[in-house]
Amino acid sequence: MRMLKRIFLISTLLLGLLSVSIASFVYFLNINDYSDWITTQVKQTTGYDLRFEHFENSWLTDKSFSFTGLALYQQGKRVVYIKQLDLQVDKLDLWQRELDIQFIKLQGVDIDFTQTVIPPVLTSQSQSQTEKQRRIIQSIAWERFHVGKFQLIDLNVALQKEDKNLLLKEASITLNDLLIIERQQLKMLPVSLDLVTTFNSLTLSNKQQSMFLQNLQLSAQADLLQRKARLNLSLESMALQPDQQFHALQLTMQLEQEKLRIAHFSADAFSGNLTMQADVLLALTLFPLPDIQVKEVILQSLLAQDMQLTIPAFKREANEKDKASQKALLPIETLLLKGLQLKNINIRSENAAFPLFITALDLQLSDFTPIRNYQWLDLPSHHEQTGSFAVAFERLNWQQAEIEQFSVTGSLSEQDQGLKTLYKLLPAIK
């Protein structure tokens, strides 16, 4: 018995000394002295040239560590650079396989793929090592993996593939409450979303077209299980083409179950301004894969005023079969215009097949359904239209007709005299 006690005491002492030795080694080990060796090992194992300037370990004090100057190189060219990476762990339970990260913060991130980058060529040995590591990772069944806050500050991205270009400057992204793994299941679609993002400018371009966004601020909160969401967006300017520019754009949207409400939309566009409110009824399926279909769009109100619109020249040829298929493939089942109002709109067409010139157009349209069952409705032949209209303009050139100082009001019924007068003056639009 006395011998067992001695063995137990000696074993406890040895384990204690071993624990102290390991803890001291981890605490006093300076990984920065082995940065070149670590870089070489990572490159041999994965084929990627990953480097860092400085590593700071505060695990024993507050469960955190940070990297400075973290960079990824390919073919001697730096393609990813992170000025500072900070990570703090809230809970790490290897027995229960649970990991809760309090925050991950990346500052000063530059991504540059403007040149053709060939993926690293792995040797047969490194390939076997990679397959072995992949199998080990796949065999780990984590019960829970959660990130409290993910923050990315000062992100700059330059991407180029053939004729496609993307340039993003001075972006910031914050994501809160990210549940990545729960009950050994990887969350492909987040249950909740809390996102805030801003950026100075974003440019997307190819040979045919380009888009430029400046000073965007976006916030979104969503609970997908309850199908509730809210989105706020503000944008200083958006240019799709040199003659298609929007300024001071504001958008607020809310989702409740199957109903998406555009509570507010406003923008300065085409030398005038535009405001809108609408309700969109959706057929929404989120699990197992997201699927969204637009069932009905109810345009509650749309006001456009003081605009200079130009219809560009275009050339399009389509046979009757193509037209029929296009008619059946409208993405909206029903479109209802509750209130549409145009004030002082000038329209000019550059298309020779569609000669139109109109000045000072005023139009009011209410309770009009232009789309039903995914098809355009023929207005004069549809007897269910119950809305009304009012049209006035100073001058109109349409094909061979020239009309000045015109105004007419009426209902959308086939027998309405105002509608018949409009068709009589403009027979080509019937």
Side-chain angles (χ1 to χ4, degrees):
M1 187 70 177
R2 193 174 292 178
M3 180 66 67
L4 291 176
K5 288 183 179 180
R6 289 181 180 178
I7 294 174
F8 177 76
L9 290 175
I10 294 173
S11 300
T12 304
L13 180 61
L14 290 175
L15 288 174
L17 290 174
L18 180 61
S19 300
V20 171
S21 300
I22 294 174
S24 300
F25 175 77
V26 172
Y27 183 78
F28 291 106
L29 175 66
N30 189 354
I31 295 181
N32 300 289
D33 296 337
Y34 302 91
S35 60
D36 293 338
W37 179 83
I38 294 173
T39 297
T40 302
Q41 295 302 311
V42 171
K43 188 173 182 180
Q44 290 179 353
T45 303
T46 66
Y48 289 97
D49 187 357
L50 186 65
R51 312 174 192 178
F52 63 93
E53 298 174 3
H54 182 75
F55 174 77
E56 183 175 348
N57 184 6
S58 303
W59 181 262
L60 297 180
T61 56
D62 58 0
K63 295 182 180 180
S64 69
F65 59 84
S66 64
F67 285 93
T68 302
L70 188 63
L72 174 65
Y73 286 78
Q74 288 191 8
Q75 299 179 347
K77 178 181 180 295
R78 192 180 73 185
V79 293
V80 178
Y81 177 76
I82 303 174
K83 183 178 180 180
Q84 181 80 20
L85 186 153
D86 300 307
L87 185 147
Q88 183 168 355
V89 175
D90 187 40
K91 176 183 177 182
L92 175 60
D93 190 334
L94 297 178
W95 183 260
Q96 298 293 333
R97 294 183 177 180
E98 295 181 354
L99 174 60
D100 283 313
I101 297 179
Q102 185 172 345
F103 69 82
I104 301 174
K105 181 188 292 185
L106 292 84
Q107 302 182 61
V109 180
D110 294 326
I111 301 175
D112 185 1
F113 282 95
T114 56
Q115 298 181 8
T116 303
V117 178
I118 301 176
V121 178
L122 302 178
T123 63
S124 57
Q125 182 180 1
S126 63
Q127 286 178 345
S128 62
Q129 290 175 350
T130 302
E131 291 298 328
K132 182 179 179 180
Q133 291 177 350
R134 185 180 293 112
R135 288 194 299 269
I136 293 174
I137 293 174
Q138 291 175 346
S139 66
I140 297 177
W142 284 90
E143 182 70 18
R144 174 183 168 87
F145 178 29
H146 175 263
V147 179
K149 174 178 285 190
F150 174 83
Q151 207 169 13
L152 199 157
I153 302 172
D154 192 18
L155 169 66
N156 299 279
V157 180
L159 301 178
Q160 180 179 356
K161 183 178 181 182
E162 298 176 350
D163 64 332
K164 299 179 180 64
N165 296 276
L166 182 149
L167 185 62
L168 177 64
K169 293 184 178 180
E170 299 178 17
S172 295
I173 301 172
T174 300
L175 283 163
N176 296 309
D177 194 18
L178 292 175
L179 184 59
I180 301 173
I181 297 175
E182 186 179 28
R183 297 177 182 176
Q184 302 181 359
Q185 296 293 323
L186 182 64
K187 296 295 183 180
M188 303 301 296
L189 188 66
V191 175
S192 62
L193 177 67
D194 186 357
L195 167 70
V196 177
T197 181
T198 64
F199 59 73
N200 180 271
S201 66
L202 171 64
T203 303
L204 298 170
S205 63
N206 55 28
K207 291 181 179 180
Q208 289 76 27
Q209 56 188 358
S210 63
M211 180 177 69
F212 176 75
L213 308 179
Q214 185 173 7
N215 287 340
L216 178 141
Q217 296 182 2
L218 171 68
S219 64
Q221 296 80 36
D223 187 331
L224 298 184
L225 290 181
Q226 298 184 12
R227 297 189 178 183
K228 292 183 179 181
R230 181 179 178 86
L231 181 143
N232 293 286
L233 181 145
S234 65
L235 185 65
E236 181 178 321
S237 65
M238 177 174 65
L240 303 179
Q241 296 294 342
D243 57 344
Q244 298 180 8
Q245 297 186 8
F246 297 81
H247 301 278
L249 189 148
Q250 301 283 335
L251 173 64
T252 299
M253 295 194 304
Q254 298 174 340
L255 175 67
E256 289 283 348
Q257 299 299 317
E258 308 289 327
K259 185 176 183 179
L260 176 66
R261 168 161 292 180
I262 301 176
H264 174 74
F265 174 84
S266 64
D268 296 334
F270 306 106
S271 303
N273 52 74
L274 174 70
T275 59
M276 180 184 67
Q277 291 181 326
D279 293 326
V280 182
L281 301 182
L282 305 171
L284 189 61
T285 303
L286 297 177
F287 305 98
L289 295 175
D291 183 30
I292 301 175
Q293 297 180 3
V294 180
K295 303 291 290 183
E296 183 179 26
V297 176
I298 304 174
L299 188 63
Q300 300 289 354
S301 65
L302 186 147
L303 172 61
Q305 56 185 357
D306 303 325
M307 287 188 175
Q308 308 289 330
L309 300 180
T310 300
I311 301 175
F314 60 90
K315 182 179 180 181
R316 182 178 179 182
E317 296 180 359
N319 55 39
E320 295 299 325
K321 183 178 180 180
D322 293 336
K323 293 180 180 179
S325 63
Q326 291 167 3
K327 185 177 181 181
L329 291 176
L330 289 175
I332 301 174
E333 181 176 349
T334 303
L335 173 60
L336 172 60
L337 307 181
K338 296 287 291 184
L340 172 66
Q341 190 172 11
L342 309 180
K343 292 183 178 180
N344 190 30
I345 305 297
N346 297 327
I347 303 175
R348 178 175 59 89
S349 174
E350 296 179 349
N351 186 4
F354 189 74
L356 175 65
F357 178 81
I358 186 169
T359 59
L361 170 66
D362 291 337
L363 170 64
Q364 292 185 11
L365 189 62
S366 63
D367 297 324
F368 171 46
T369 304
I371 298 176
R372 180 169 292 172
N373 295 328
Y374 304 103
Q375 296 182 357
W376 292 104
L377 295 180
D378 187 4
L379 172 62
S381 64
H382 189 67
H383 62 279
E384 296 182 6
Q385 298 287 359
T386 59
S388 61
F389 72 94
V391 179
F393 52 80
E394 290 184 0
R395 180 186 172 190
L396 181 143
N397 290 82
W398 168 257
Q399 295 186 356
Q400 304 300 322
E402 181 174 342
I403 304 171
E404 295 183 354
Q405 301 299 326
F406 175 82
S407 66
V408 64
T409 61
S411 69
L412 298 178
S413 172
E414 292 182 72
Q415 304 303 321
D416 182 77
Q417 293 301 318
L419 188 61
K420 290 183 178 180
T421 301
L422 185 62
Y423 282 138
K424 184 178 180 180
L425 292 174
L426 307 173
I429 68 173
K430 185 174 181 179

